[in-house]
Amino acid sequence: MNKENTIPALDIDQQTPNEQTIEEIVASLGDTVGEARVENPKMSVSGVDVFYAEKQAIFGVDLDIANNEVISMIGPSGCGKSTLLRCLNRMNDTIPICRVTGEIMLDGEGIYSKDTDPVLLRARVGMVFQKPNPFPKSIYENVAYGPRLHGLNRNKADLDDIVVNSLRKAGIYDEVKNRLDDAGTSLSGGQQQRLCIARTIACSPEVILMDEPCSALDPIATAKIEELIDELRENYAIAIVTHSMQQAARVSQRTAYFHLGKLVEVGDTDTIFTNPKHELTEKYITGRFG
Amino acid sequence: MSTSMLLLVIFILTALTYVVGRSRAASLRKQSTSMHSLPRYYGYLAAICTAVPSLILLALWSAAEPVLLKSSTIGTLPAEVQALSTGELDLVVNDIKNIATGGISQSADDPVRAAAAQHYTESRASSRLYRTIAVLILCIAGALFGLKKINSGTRARVAVERAIMIGLLICSCIAIFTTVGIVLSVLFESLRFFNKVPFNEFVFGLQWSPQTAIRADQVGSSGSFGAVPIFAGTLLISVIAMLVAVPFGLMSAIYLAEYASSTVRSWAKPLLEILAGIPTVVYGFFAALTVAPLIRDAGESIGLSVASESALAAGLVMGIMIIPFVSSLSDDVITAVPQAMRDGSLGLGATKSETIKRVVIPAALPGIVGGILLAVSRAIGETMIVVMAAGLAANLTINPLEAVTTVTVQIVTLLTGDQAFDSPKTLAAFALGLMLFVTTLILNVIALQIVRKYREQYE
């Protein structure tokens, strides 16, 4: 298995001037600007460092994820936003050389504590990936996968209900209702991504993590997914990593800007985009680098 | 000029044309003539024009020469010799050839044969001379033609691509025609066998004892050719082997692909593949001298009577032998399943083993079945282990503790030693081969259908 491939690219070296180490630059960035904490957070990240073998990818991040809110994480490639996202449901556990320190809480319980079962955690904190990855099974089986695993249904009728509801919530039901037995891979890219969202919803998660969910999609499919994200906010806490600042502005209520593994600035999306406090945030948002 | 000398000359001429052609094209290009292709393609094209026609002529001539020489030599012989049967005539011609080439001959003094040998030598020499001239002329003509084609009007790259395609086509044709040839030869020999032994008796007969009487007055051993017992034996041993190889091979593949750290993997995989490198004869005596007595003793200790050559021993060892086929191929296809599939499943809260069972294995199924099929073919075709460990007795039984025999073993015993190639006994080998071939083919077709039905195709 090509485990190395799953490590997000770290282009830190490219951006590092020769005379300074990453640690020095990160130290020079100063404390996070803006309010990282919210009242009653769904998830709460405190002092998290992440290492890939000896290389540090995340430096002391504090961040809250609130209920019924979309938080977007932006920043240049290799800034650690995907890495942090993958910490939130412990997907980083699949990378042997990855080490996480600090504390991440879900409803006040540490997800990296010994008592937490990563398998159950991932059912509560669902994830949608960058590239649509439906299983090579029928559309129905794709959505029924999670409920079957976790025994969420008592009988076949239950399962049918879950599948139909999840597809409805993901806004794809009308397009696929007559061909639930077709292969999930036979759908178009945008439909596949919505199927993957339906698949995640079917596990009835509390938090949904999205890792650049639209980067492989055309503008029309992207618009549909963005609309969907906005609707899903009613029921879930959502964290989305994106490279598109327009997307962050459109779908999220709060925005966090990362640079070289450090959370530089966080705050209301409106404030970040209209009145950024940190020099780097302003540079990034106005398109001067990144 | 000898054939190897001729080949060398063709080779040199080809290389020369390539160099000349390329530099001519390059200089044309420099003179800003708009050329269709890069200079080296004109070189290739000129080289192909030089080599291919002359090589074809050389091959055809060399194939036709012996036949023509033989018939012309026979033509010089007196009528009574020509009237001899084909076999005897061949002997005479061989003798003449021996005289001509200075080999040992029993009738070197015979003036007729000496004259024929003289004729043979002369015609061969002239044939060689004409061959050299013709091939060289064709070669040079090809070179000139190829060099003349170097101009802006020739689409050299297209022509070279086409030539490469044809070359590849010919290679695949050779493989296919060889297969067809083997199948046909087996088929025709089998038809000769079925002329002597009825088809039904062979396919459905329950008695296998291929010893036939050599002389008319010989007593006993009339021979009976019922193939059921030996096919049952083959099946029994193959099933035992697969029962060992499939679970162990598949499980170890899953471990290596999904669980093992890269250090373990880099050690374990080559070690496992060494199993495939052990000669089957070594497995054979391992089965016969170690495993079979072990099984017999173990059986006796719990009150079972076990033959000292048992299907179980042969099957177990054969299973171990084919573990690497299953594991190595399965490992490759499991590794080829995209990481995104695993992430998707893990992200939904599946455990590692659930992910493997529900996503990875179904996605890898076609490849796994392919590996298993290859292993089955190996098991059915394996001979050495069975000869040593399972015996020669054609018992019709499904008891793995008894001695059985297999198709391949019977083919070996039928054809070992001095045999007449028109007795039912030896021809039976071809019929067995044909049956084996048909069985394997049917197995393959069935397995492919199963795979097509259940495969889960990822992008």
Side-chain angles (χ1 to χ4, degrees):
Chain A
M1 188 184 3
N2 220 343
K3 283 169 180 155
E4 286 76 14
N5 276 353
T6 62
I7 301 172
L10 292 174
D11 294 337
I12 291 171
D13 295 338
Q14 258 182 352
Q15 302 167 6
T16 312
N18 291 331
E19 61 271 22
Q20 275 181 306
T21 65
I22 302 162
E23 281 77 9
E24 283 164 359
I25 297 179
V26 167
S28 74
L29 290 175
D31 291 338
T32 302
V33 179
E35 189 44 69
R37 297 298 174 198
V38 296
E39 262 179 54
N40 235 338
K42 183 71 193 172
M43 293 192 85
S44 160
V45 179
S46 308
V48 164
D49 294 329
V50 180
F51 301 85
Y52 289 117
E54 294 308 308
K55 207 167 184 177
Q56 189 164 2
I58 302 266
F59 296 84
V61 168
D62 294 322
L63 187 64
D64 278 358
I65 294 167
N67 277 310
N68 308 97
E69 187 185 80
V70 179
I71 180 166
S72 59
M73 302 178 177
I74 59 171
S77 291
C79 70
K81 51 197 189 307
S82 288
T83 300
L84 183 67
L85 196 74
R86 288 171 67 94
C87 290
L88 296 177
N89 70 345
R90 293 185 62 175
M91 278 303 281
N92 275 346
D93 289 12
T94 58
I95 303 168
I97 57 166
C98 180
R99 191 159 56 81
V100 180
T101 62
E103 198 162 49
I104 302 176
M105 313 275 259
L106 172 64
D107 286 337
E109 284 169 39
I111 65 168
Y112 277 90
S113 75
K114 281 199 182 100
D115 304 332
T116 306
D117 181 355
V119 168
L120 293 178
L121 171 74
R122 288 182 201 135
R124 292 176 67 191
V125 183
M127 189 160 202
V128 177
F129 296 85
Q130 186 170 355
K131 203 170 158 246
N133 58 347
F135 300 129
K137 301 173 186 291
S138 71
I139 293 171
Y140 183 94
E141 284 300 320
N142 259 286
V143 183
Y145 187 84
R148 282 221 172 104
L149 281 179
H150 304 298
L152 298 180
N153 58 314
R154 253 161 299 150
N155 50 40
K156 179 81 169 76
D158 261 9
L159 190 62
D160 289 349
D161 280 353
I162 295 176
V163 169
V164 170
N165 280 331
S166 307
L167 287 171
R168 275 223 176 89
K169 279 190 200 157
I172 192 185
Y173 181 68
D174 290 335
E175 290 160 60
V176 299
K177 63 183 171 194
N178 294 324
R179 46 178 182 142
L180 290 177
D181 289 332
D182 285 10
T185 44
S186 68
L187 298 172
S188 74
Q191 288 174 325
Q192 286 189 13
Q193 193 62 300
R194 277 180 284 152
L195 176 63
C196 291
I197 294 175
R199 186 174 77 179
T200 308
I201 295 172
C203 296
S204 44
E206 297 154 39
V207 182
I208 299 178
L209 310 174
M210 297 189 176
D211 189 357
E212 298 178 40
C214 303
S215 64
L217 305 181
D218 64 75
I220 295 170
T222 302
K224 278 193 177 155
I225 303 259
E226 286 178 1
E227 212 175 294
L228 173 62
I229 292 172
D230 205 45
E231 286 166 20
L232 291 176
R233 179 162 64 91
E234 283 177 32
N235 300 309
Y236 309 96
I238 297 174
I240 176 171
V241 164
T242 177
H243 271 296
S244 154
M245 279 173 283
Q246 291 86 343
Q247 185 169 62
R250 279 194 299 261
V251 301
S252 69
Q253 284 70 52
R254 285 167 76 230
T255 297
Y257 173 69
F258 289 81
H259 188 84
L260 290 179
K262 178 94 184 166
L263 176 56
V264 174
E265 184 166 355
V266 57
D268 287 345
T269 301
D270 292 344
T271 322
I272 294 267
F273 278 96
T274 51
N275 188 17
K277 305 272 189 314
H278 199 285
E279 184 195 8
L280 279 174
T281 319
E282 192 193 342
K283 272 189 182 168
Y284 182 71
I285 283 169
T286 51
R288 266 178 281 165
F289 75 91
Chain B
M1 215 184 278
S2 72
T3 311
S4 50
M5 194 64 196
L6 210 49
L7 280 174
L8 186 68
V9 171
I10 293 174
F11 176 75
I12 292 169
L13 274 174
T14 307
L16 217 66
T17 344
Y18 171 72
V19 174
V20 172
R22 194 183 54 177
S23 63
R24 183 180 287 188
S27 71
L28 274 177
R29 202 177 152 91
K30 268 204 195 102
Q31 292 160 25
S32 75
T33 319
S34 90
M35 299 292 276
H36 173 269
S37 315
L38 290 173
R40 65 167 183 275
Y41 281 105
Y42 289 96
Y44 289 143
L45 183 62
I48 289 171
C49 290
T50 315
V52 174
S54 48
L55 284 178
I56 291 175
L57 179 69
L58 182 59
L60 287 179
W61 197 300
S62 305
E65 191 189 67
V67 182
L68 296 175
L69 273 181
K70 187 179 157 190
S71 64
S72 116
T73 309
I74 290 172
T76 64
L77 292 172
E80 70 266 23
V81 182
Q82 284 187 39
L84 288 171
S85 75
T86 328
E88 285 169 305
L89 203 55
D90 277 345
L91 283 178
V92 173
V93 172
N94 255 333
D95 199 41
I96 292 167
K97 272 191 204 162
N98 280 342
I99 299 170
T101 52
I104 298 162
S105 157
Q106 70 259 47
S107 51
D109 316 332
D110 187 338
V112 177
R113 294 198 179 179
Q118 182 71 23
H119 172 81
Y120 180 85
T121 319
E122 280 164 9
S123 6
R124 198 174 66 152
S126 58
S127 158
R128 283 289 152 92
L129 181 65
Y130 294 137
R131 185 183 73 170
T132 308
I133 293 170
V135 168
L136 285 182
I137 286 176
L138 195 60
C139 191
I140 292 165
L144 292 177
F145 176 77
L147 291 176
K148 194 163 165 285
K149 288 293 256 180
I150 297 173
N151 54 50
S152 56
T154 309
R155 291 145 65 90
R157 178 164 42 75
V158 179
V160 170
E161 288 295 323
R162 201 173 178 75
I164 289 173
M165 195 268 283
I166 291 171
L168 296 177
L169 180 75
I170 290 171
C171 288
S172 54
C173 282
I174 287 174
I176 291 167
F177 287 142
T178 314
T179 316
V180 172
I182 291 173
V183 171
L184 285 183
S185 91
V186 169
L187 186 69
F188 284 121
E189 295 296 325
S190 305
L191 288 179
R192 280 173 64 194
F193 172 74
F194 290 130
N195 279 337
K196 297 183 180 176
V197 176
F199 182 74
N200 281 344
E201 189 191 318
F202 177 72
V203 176
F204 300 109
L206 301 181
Q207 189 69 40
W208 176 265
S209 109
Q211 297 309 321
T212 45
I214 293 170
R215 299 185 309 276
D217 57 343
Q218 207 172 15
V219 190
S221 49
S222 57
S224 66
F225 295 93
V228 173
I230 56 176
F231 270 91
T234 302
L235 205 65
L236 180 64
I237 289 184
S238 301
V239 166
I240 296 172
M242 296 319 289
L243 285 179
V244 175
V246 171
F248 285 100
L250 197 54
M251 301 294 164
S252 62
I254 291 172
Y255 174 73
L256 285 180
E258 296 287 333
Y259 290 94
S261 70
S262 54
T263 340
V264 174
R265 200 175 136 84
S266 66
W267 279 95
K269 210 177 172 200
L271 277 178
L272 200 58
E273 276 160 8
I274 285 177
L275 272 183
I278 298 175
T280 56
V281 68
V282 176
Y283 280 112
F285 65 70
F286 174 64
L289 302 181
T290 313
V291 179
L294 211 67
I295 290 174
R296 191 190 54 211
D297 296 346
E300 273 168 3
S301 67
I302 55 169
L304 288 170
S305 89
V306 184
S308 49
E309 290 181 322
S310 64
L312 188 60
L316 283 180
V317 175
M318 197 193 284
I320 289 168
M321 183 192 80
I322 54 185
I323 283 176
F325 284 85
V326 180
S327 78
S328 189
L329 287 165
S330 308
D331 180 48
D332 289 345
V333 290
I334 290 173
T335 311
V337 173
Q339 180 64 26
M341 294 291 130
R342 297 185 184 88
D343 282 350
S345 174
L346 293 172
L348 291 171
T351 63
K352 200 158 190 173
S353 67
E354 283 167 343
T355 301
I356 292 166
K357 196 172 69 191
R358 293 174 185 229
V359 175
V360 178
I361 298 293
L365 190 67
I368 293 174
V369 173
I372 292 175
L373 268 185
L374 199 67
V376 171
S377 320
R378 253 330 271 267
I380 291 178
E382 173 51 39
T383 317
M384 221 54 216
I385 294 175
V386 194
V387 170
M388 295 194 200
L392 297 171
N395 293 326
L396 181 55
T397 174
I398 54 160
N399 179 359
L401 303 178
E402 279 183 46
V404 295
T405 191
T406 67
V407 177
T408 48
V409 169
Q410 285 310 311
I411 293 177
V412 169
T413 48
L414 289 175
L415 294 184
T416 323
D418 292 337
Q419 305 287 352
F421 266 85
D422 49 1
S423 77
K425 186 183 159 193
T426 42
L427 288 176
F430 288 100
L432 287 177
L434 183 68
M435 283 275 283
L436 203 56
F437 173 73
V438 171
T439 320
T440 332
L441 197 68
I442 291 171
L443 270 180
N444 278 330
V445 170
I446 293 172
L448 282 180
Q449 288 301 324
I450 293 173
V451 166
R452 196 164 298 160
K453 189 153 179 249
Y454 290 105
R455 80 186 307 184
E456 294 189 341
Q457 178 101 46
Y458 55 87
E459 293 167 286

